[in-house]
Amino acid sequence: MIENRTGTGHTRAKVILTGEHAVVYGEPAIALPLASLPMRATARHEPGPLAIESVLYSGPLADAPEELFAPRAAIEATLDHLGLPHRDLTLSTESSIPAARGLGSSAATAGALALALADLAGRTLTAQEHFDLVQVGERVAHGSPSGLDARTTASTVPVWFQGGAMRPLDLRLNAHLVVADTGVHGRTRVAVADVRSFRERHPARGAQLITELGQITRATVEDLRLDRPVLLGERLTRAHQALSELGVSSPELDRLQRTALDAGALGAKLTGGGQGGCLLALAADADSAGSIAAALRRSGAPRTWLHRLHRIDARQPSPTQVPLA
């Protein structure tokens, strides 16, 4: 490790395009990395105890609050993996990814920090090494993480996930995504329990809705590959309706969904665990995306983000350390 160097690491937010909750029952899900919501971490040599600088806390890592226990676990695992001492280092993070909104903030943070430490040490992590280190933090944050966040926040292409297996997907869709924050923390564990309860009370209807969500995800692959934004929008809206019936939505999400559709969105749905968190709206072009975002803010969304979808070839190399578009 060169003492006057600064190591850097970059990851990004993620959204689940289709398949949340159905994926728990063996159906597929598709997640998208959002280069428009980047996470940047740095690591530098500085005498003294191992320290971190972030918007939540700055000081010795050993004294960090509970909110930083997950990245702390990933940092310590990375130091052990690289054979670095647990001192004389200061790490910092810069990001606009909000926490507890279903956008993968914990995985993005852990992933960027691991990459920054490896860069400082002059090492390149393999995709599997990086995944394993991020999962250390994700287990602290989420208990039994699927790995979807760890893979997608380090990816530059859409990710298909089913039964623990993942593969990259081609993207040929020319459209824009508007991500709107409800301002309410998502309640993934409660939502998962509510879906399970719905299936127990209404087994036939519950199974039908889960199957339909899986069918929507499978059709979405072709929408992304064949540049079919109108059809994709219709599927997103139907997915929201199915998830709402399962008990996953919330008044805030439903209000923003109606607002997005009224403002001209091709489709809109919740993303992630639900019962709070964020809404996705699909827009045909940049002007439409801007109008939809403005309407969502007028309807109560404290924050919105715009993301342009464009051609991405899944066969291109996708290392964990990549420049952001």
Side-chain angles (χ1 to χ4, degrees):
M1 182 170 63
I2 302 173
E3 293 191 359
N4 62 357
R5 285 193 67 233
T6 297
T8 60
H10 298 281
T11 55
R12 54 213 54 83
K14 74 93 180 64
V15 292
I16 297 180
L17 187 64
T18 59
E20 52 270 274
H21 290 282
V23 74
V24 175
Y25 299 95
E27 297 291 348
I30 295 174
L32 297 177
L34 295 181
S36 52
L37 272 175
M39 166 70 70
R40 179 177 185 268
T42 62
R44 66 182 186 274
H45 177 81
E46 194 166 289
L50 181 63
I52 190 166
E53 299 169 344
S54 73
V55 296
L56 291 174
Y57 163 85
S58 293
L61 189 62
D63 299 331
E66 184 176 354
E67 292 86 349
L68 293 180
F69 283 2
R72 172 180 169 177
I75 289 168
E76 292 172 344
T78 303
L79 292 172
D80 290 340
H81 180 73
L82 297 172
L84 298 178
H86 289 229
R87 61 172 294 108
D88 299 330
L89 291 169
T90 295
L91 299 106
S92 64
T93 58
E94 299 175 25
S95 174
S96 55
I97 307 173
R101 297 297 197 279
L103 300 180
S105 62
S106 63
T109 301
L113 287 165
L115 291 170
L117 285 168
D119 186 42
L120 185 67
R123 297 270 297 277
T124 299
L125 298 174
T126 67
Q128 188 59 47
E129 286 175 322
H130 184 257
F131 174 79
D132 291 341
L133 293 169
V134 174
Q135 284 294 83
V136 172
E138 287 293 273
R139 283 190 285 273
V140 173
H142 302 297
S144 300
S146 67
L148 183 61
D149 283 13
R151 292 292 191 197
T152 311
T153 56
S155 178
T156 57
V157 300
V159 174
W160 167 282
F161 178 80
Q162 185 175 23
M166 303 187 198
R167 61 182 174 88
L169 294 175
D170 287 335
L171 179 63
R172 302 286 188 273
L173 193 72
N174 291 300
H176 288 70
L177 275 181
V178 181
V179 182
D181 184 4
T182 62
V184 178
H185 284 199
R187 303 197 305 163
T188 301
R189 293 185 182 182
V190 175
V192 168
D194 285 350
V195 172
R196 183 169 57 248
S197 174
F198 183 96
R199 284 172 53 85
E200 291 169 353
R201 290 180 287 112
H202 311 285
R205 182 57 176 161
Q208 183 181 28
L209 289 169
I210 294 298
T211 298
E212 182 180 6
L213 287 167
Q215 292 169 342
I216 288 171
T217 297
R218 291 180 178 89
T220 293
V221 174
E222 292 303 291
D223 295 336
L224 297 177
R225 187 176 68 85
L226 299 175
D227 190 15
R228 303 191 304 206
V230 174
L231 287 176
L232 175 58
E234 293 171 356
R235 294 190 219 284
L236 296 183
T237 298
R238 176 55 198 144
H240 182 87
Q241 293 167 349
L243 289 165
S244 182
E245 187 175 347
L246 286 166
V248 177
S249 193
S250 69
E252 296 86 1
L253 285 164
D254 288 342
R255 183 184 70 249
L256 292 182
Q257 197 234 15
R258 291 191 299 270
T259 296
L261 295 176
D262 290 344
L266 300 176
K269 65 177 283 291
L270 64 87
T271 182
Q275 297 191 3
C278 290
L279 181 95
L280 292 182
L282 187 68
D285 52 43
D287 288 343
S288 179
S291 297
I292 293 165
L296 288 166
R297 290 192 297 272
R298 289 194 299 270
S299 188
R303 292 174 289 188
T304 60
W305 302 274
L306 305 183
H307 180 76
R308 184 174 70 88
L309 299 170
H310 54 88
R311 180 186 176 97
I312 300 176
D313 190 342
R315 292 170 297 179
Q316 70 185 11
S318 181
T320 55
Q321 180 78 311
V322 295
L324 291 172

